[in-house]
């Protein structure tokens, strides 16, 4: 029960902060919210991101002989992820959904739009990590996860940017193929259940 309550608290905090960032900083107007589409994005982000972070963490260790990050709160899968990520990683899908809405309303020059898209893909993961870590430091006084490199105060690291850039591109391409499906709710729910099974049963 404690896990559920704390996870729900973190989810609500992140949900509000991410919406405020896209609503205030870029869109500057209300964003369109379609519940089935949001469910699709969030439900698929959870299994894709949680499996990817474990694989990326292990790949980095195999390549460089050092662990890039360690989860410090409810760690699992060799501390490459956390039991609380049932609430945290769906927020990546929320972020992608909102970023698409905000960028669709933005009318810059074509070159600037391409630069903004590249920046979105490169910075999304690290930005969300910083938000999660700062929130946990403020609430519990401890890191949610701890990056061993200290280049960004152990909140995240420049070293993770190439991994997240590729993951962001792949997720966006994958979700684009399903955006117009008539089975958004079913696919989103199935994806979330797959994520739960991997997190708690694998």
């Amino acid at each position: 029960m404690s896990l559920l309550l704390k996870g729900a608290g973190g989810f609500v905090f992140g949900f509000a902060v991410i919406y405020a960032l896209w609503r205030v900083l870029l869109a500057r107007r209300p964003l369109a919210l379609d519940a089935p589409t949001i469910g699709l994005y969030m439900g698929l982000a959870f299994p894709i991101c949680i499996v990817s972070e474990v694989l990326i963490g292990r790949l980095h260790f195999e390549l460089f002989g050092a662990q890039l990050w360690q989860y410090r709160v409810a760690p699992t899968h060799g501390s490459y992820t956390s039991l609380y990520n049932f609430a945290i990683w769906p927020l990546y899908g929320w972020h992608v959904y909102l970023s698409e809405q905000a960028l669709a309303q933005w009318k810059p020059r074509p070159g600037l739009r391409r630069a903004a898209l590249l920046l979105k893909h490169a910075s999304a993961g690290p930005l969300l990590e910083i938000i999660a870590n700062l929130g946990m430091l403020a609430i519990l006084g401890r890191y949610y996860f701890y990056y061993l490199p200290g280049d960004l105060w152990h909140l995240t690291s420049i070293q993770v940017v190439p991994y997240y850039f590729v993951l962001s591109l792949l997720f966006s391409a994958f979700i684009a193929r399903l955006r117009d499906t008539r089975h958004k709710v079913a696919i989103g729910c199935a994806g979330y259940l797959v994520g739960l099974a991997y997190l708690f049963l694998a």
Side-chain angles (χ1 to χ4, degrees):
M1 184 60 69
S2 175
L3 181 69
L4 290 175
L5 291 175
K6 291 178 180 178
F11 176 83
V12 171
F13 172 80
F15 197 86
V17 168
I18 293 168
Y19 181 83
L21 285 173
W22 282 110
R23 166 69 173 81
V24 174
L25 295 181
L26 187 56
R28 300 183 182 178
R29 68 185 71 179
L31 296 167
L33 303 178
D34 178 71
T37 306
I38 294 169
L40 175 71
Y41 277 60
M42 297 178 74
L44 290 178
F46 175 35
I48 290 171
C49 291
I50 200 165
V51 171
S52 295
E53 74 172 342
V54 173
L55 293 178
I56 289 170
R58 290 174 174 165
L59 173 64
H60 185 88
F61 182 82
E62 290 297 323
L63 291 175
F64 301 103
Q67 193 167 351
L68 186 54
W69 69 79
Q70 297 175 341
Y71 275 85
R72 298 291 177 86
V73 178
T76 186
H77 290 270
S79 78
Y80 288 116
T81 191
S82 166
L83 295 178
Y84 282 108
N85 279 343
F86 76 92
I88 302 303
W89 271 126
L91 293 174
Y92 179 76
W94 174 234
H95 151 76
V96 173
Y97 174 82
L98 292 176
S99 68
E100 290 178 352
Q101 295 288 320
L103 290 170
Q105 295 179 10
W106 191 39
K107 305 298 180 184
R109 298 188 304 275
L112 190 57
R113 175 177 290 277
R114 285 192 293 271
L117 286 171
L118 289 174
L119 180 62
K120 184 196 84 166
H121 288 303
S123 64
L127 176 62
L128 294 178
E129 288 187 330
I130 289 171
I131 291 171
N133 249 338
L134 289 176
M136 193 63 72
L137 283 168
I139 295 169
L140 296 181
R142 59 189 297 198
Y143 284 87
Y144 181 46
F145 44 80
Y146 185 87
Y147 270 86
L148 283 303
D151 51 333
L152 293 175
W153 306 280
H154 305 288
L155 297 170
T156 185
S157 172
I158 296 297
Q159 294 181 38
V160 83
V161 169
Y163 299 122
Y164 276 131
F165 182 78
V166 172
L167 178 61
S168 180
L169 287 174
L170 293 176
F171 181 77
S172 292
F174 179 68
I175 204 74
R177 293 180 173 272
L178 296 173
R179 192 180 296 125
D180 297 323
T181 181
R182 294 177 295 173
H183 308 291
K184 295 176 183 177
V185 174
I187 294 173
C189 289
Y192 192 81
L193 291 175
V194 169
L196 287 177
Y198 178 81
L199 181 61
F200 290 101
L201 301 179

